[in-house]
Amino acid sequence: MAKHDVVVSQGKRTLKKRMLARWQLYLLLLIPVAYILIFAYGPMAGLIIAFKKYNVRLGIFDSPWVGFDNFRKFFSSYKFPIIMKNTIVISLYSLVVTFPIPIIFALLLNCMNGRIYKKMIQTVTYIPYFISSVVMVGLIFQILDNRSGIYGAVYKMLTGTIGPNIFADGSLFKHIYVWSAVWQTTGYSAIIYIAALTNVDQSLHEAALIDGATRLQRVRYIDVPTILPTASIMLILAVGNIMNIGFEKVLLMQNNLNLNYSEIISTYVYKVGLASGLNDFSLSTAISMFNSVINFILLIVANWGSKKLSGSGIF
Amino acid sequence: MKFRNQTKSDKVFLTVVMIILTAFFIVVLYPCIFVLSASFSSGAAVQSGKVVLLPVDFSLEGYKTVFNTPSIWTGFANSLFYTVFGTLINVAMTMTAAYCLSRKDMPGHNGIMFLFTFTMFFNGGIITTYLLIQKLGMLNTRWALLIPGAITVYNLIVARTFIANSIPHELLEAATIDGCSDFGYFIKIVLPLSKAIIAVLVLFYGVKHWNSYFNAMIYIHDKDLYPLTLFLRDILMADQIDPSTVSDPEMQARLAEAAGVIKYALIVVSMVPVLIIYPFIQKYFVKGVMIGSIKG
């Protein structure tokens, strides 16, 4: 007991000493910490303009308070239901399609024989991940062009006539958005599962073989349980990001014909705040804050759910 | 691992697997080949949809036009500048922070780490960030594309995990006994042993800089400072290259017909730097994703 007290008091007395001993580390951290305070927490502090009527001449702190007026304005706007619907439809559709496909891809690839072919498939399917959103959207426009693209060529070959313009039909927007993402990210997203699958204990497979299990049964009872923890963590992250749709790509894919199907919260924030002549900083900050808060809540809920169900979470 | 005595159902299953994967492989590969072939075809062949797999009426007119457009060169040079210096700042800041935060003997390392991690899940959004950049006088300067985003917290976690797990703790003890300072340990021991993770960071940050367009779109108004992606957007999304930027009059006349082939050539040109570097860094790239998957 006495000995323990001595240790504790020593620990307290030496905290200052221990910090002093590491002064060089604090010095090194000075710039990164200053950076994060200014460029990440600075804008967070700026969120107060969501509750003000921002005026350029008065600045952030002297602009008058308006309470929740900006939020009310957004919720009562005629665009609100359309934007919410688009955001939810596109993000859920995205999640339902782009979450399981890489898992299936990894499982199939793991079953396949032939090392070289396997390696080749992996290498080629990573490449689209490095295509920037600008080029990706340019590529989509070109490939699905009804005159000069693959779609146009195939349509003409089959019917002899020029096909209808895909981009003029707004209801197709979500399909183009989601399936082009499948094309672009499946290979990359599968890496993490492929890595998890290489850690499967091979003796499990041998034992299952002796018991007469088929390959499909081994996938079902050995491979799938192996990647389940990884998958649940990826799912939490995906759910926590559900409202952060690939904003750059959506913005580039928008045109006047599909706007009723393609306007989402983040593109609307950009337009209200920066792109239109209005430059209503307060309103757009309120909208983006609404989005961030929903996201944050979803993340907490998904994490809590995952901890309850599988015992693993990200925090 | 090879298994003999495959049952019939296994053979069927494996055949189905092979067919599905081959189909996916073709779906990913085909557009890439198509773009390449179209970029080497004549404008007329592309416009009328004759290109299916291989180039039709082999021609370099798309590339000639692209290389005769001064804005493409400006954009290329600017993007190179942002990528090189931006990545340099990113890697220096990230490695410094990652090293300090990997030192468990530094009081308060968890608190400071939380300060960083929290920003991954909650942020101020584009408008307030824009106001900050404006306030700092960075609007329409190169700094606006170099300083914001200097540390990506995800990459910081990856780097910290790497340093904490792959550099043996005994090295720190030995170095301390030999009188090495914390600063010297970072420069002489940690950095040389972190080549793999530095390669990963260079790749992640470099690709991000090369591909980014949104920050440039909102912060930069001066066309001389535009990165390549913004010029690409103007050409790929709008319908043609602005004829006034093409010096050759003969070229101007052919522009209308060649619009399609120019776009394909442009897509290929913009991908060249990434495709040249890709084979060299591919193994690091997979490694990086894997380190990142370890819970941080």
Side-chain angles (χ1 to χ4, degrees), chain A residues 15 18-19 21-22 24-26 28-29 31-33 35-41 43-44 46-47 49 54 60 105 108-109 111-113 117 120-121 123-135 137-139 141-143 147-150 153 156 182-183 186 188 191-192 195 202 205-206 209 214-216 218-219 237 247-248 251-252 269-270 273-274 281 284-285 288 292-293 296 299 313-315, chain B residues 1 3 6 9-10 13-14 17-18 20-22 24-25 27-32 34-35 46-49 51-52 93 96-97 99-101 103 105-107 112 114-116 118-119 121-133 136 138 147-151 153 181-183 186 203 207 211 213-214 217-218 229 232-233 236-237 260 263-264 267 270-271 274-275 278 282 285-286 289-290 293 295:
Chain A
L15 176 64
R18 282 192 292 139
M19 285 179 73
R22 300 276 81 84
Q24 289 182 335
L25 294 180
Y26 292 109
L28 279 173
L29 265 178
I31 296 176
V33 168
Y35 161 79
I36 206 84
L37 288 178
I38 295 171
F39 286 93
Y41 287 91
M44 264 187 241
L47 285 175
I49 67 167
Y54 180 73
I60 291 175
F105 178 67
L108 294 184
L109 205 62
C111 290
M112 205 179 91
N113 301 319
Y117 189 43
M120 200 161 87
I121 293 180
T123 310
V124 168
T125 50
Y126 296 160
I127 292 175
Y129 177 75
F130 293 101
I131 298 175
S132 68
S133 45
V134 171
V135 172
V137 174
L139 197 64
F141 285 170
Q142 288 307 109
I143 298 235
R147 287 170 187 279
S148 62
I150 293 179
K156 204 172 175 187
V182 168
W183 183 82
T186 296
Y188 172 80
I191 293 177
I192 194 165
Q202 288 303 325
H205 277 290
E206 280 156 26
L209 269 180
T214 64
R215 190 71 186 88
L216 190 61
R218 282 189 282 135
V219 171
L237 287 174
F247 154 66
E248 296 195 345
L251 190 67
L252 289 163
V269 167
Y270 164 67
L274 296 172
F281 289 143
S284 59
T285 303
S288 105
S292 299
V293 169
F296 197 66
L299 182 77
I314 49 173
F315 50 72
Chain B
M1 184 148 50
F3 298 107
Q6 280 183 342
S9 75
D10 275 3
F13 175 68
L14 288 176
V17 166
M18 189 65 114
I20 295 174
L21 286 176
T22 305
F24 184 69
F25 178 60
V27 165
V28 173
L29 192 63
Y30 178 55
C32 304
F34 177 81
V35 169
V46 170
Q47 214 57 22
S48 55
V51 180
V52 176
M93 295 269 279
T96 311
Y99 160 68
C100 296
L101 293 169
R103 289 282 299 262
D105 55 346
M106 180 181 73
I112 300 172
F114 179 77
L115 198 68
F116 282 93
F118 181 72
T119 64
F121 302 112
F122 197 81
N123 59 62
I126 57 168
I127 305 296
T128 50
T129 309
Y130 177 86
L131 290 174
L132 175 75
I133 301 297
L136 293 172
M138 286 183 177
I147 304 295
I151 295 179
V153 175
S181 68
D182 290 339
F183 188 68
F186 177 47
L203 173 68
V207 169
N211 285 345
Y213 87 98
F214 186 72
M217 183 171 83
I218 61 176
T229 42
L232 285 177
R233 185 199 54 158
L236 292 175
M237 307 301 139
K263 287 180 187 177
Y264 286 117
I267 290 173
S270 75
M271 285 296 293
V274 176
L275 288 180
Y278 178 67
Q282 196 212 331
F285 162 65
V286 174
V289 176
M290 258 129 75
S293 70
K295 194 174 150 185

Side-chain angles (χ1 to χ4, degrees), chain B residues 165-180:
Chain B
N165 293 347
S166 70
I167 298 178
H169 196 253
E170 291 76 26
L171 272 177
L172 176 63
E173 283 162 19
T176 314
I177 292 167
D178 288 345
C180 187

Side-chain angles (χ1 to χ4, degrees), chain B residues 21-86:
Chain B
L21 286 176
T22 305
F24 184 69
F25 178 60
I26 292 169
V27 165
V28 173
L29 192 63
Y30 178 55
C32 304
I33 292 174
F34 177 81
V35 169
L36 206 59
S37 298
S39 74
F40 283 109
S41 301
S42 74
V46 170
Q47 214 57 22
S48 55
K50 278 187 195 137
V51 180
V52 176
L53 185 63
L54 295 172
V56 177
D57 301 336
F58 183 88
S59 121
L60 292 173
E61 62 179 311
Y63 290 97
K64 274 185 197 149
T65 318
V66 167
F67 290 123
N68 272 317
T69 310
S71 60
I72 300 296
W73 292 103
T74 312
F76 218 93
N78 282 336
S79 278
L80 217 55
F81 176 88
Y82 297 130
T83 304
V84 170
F85 289 99

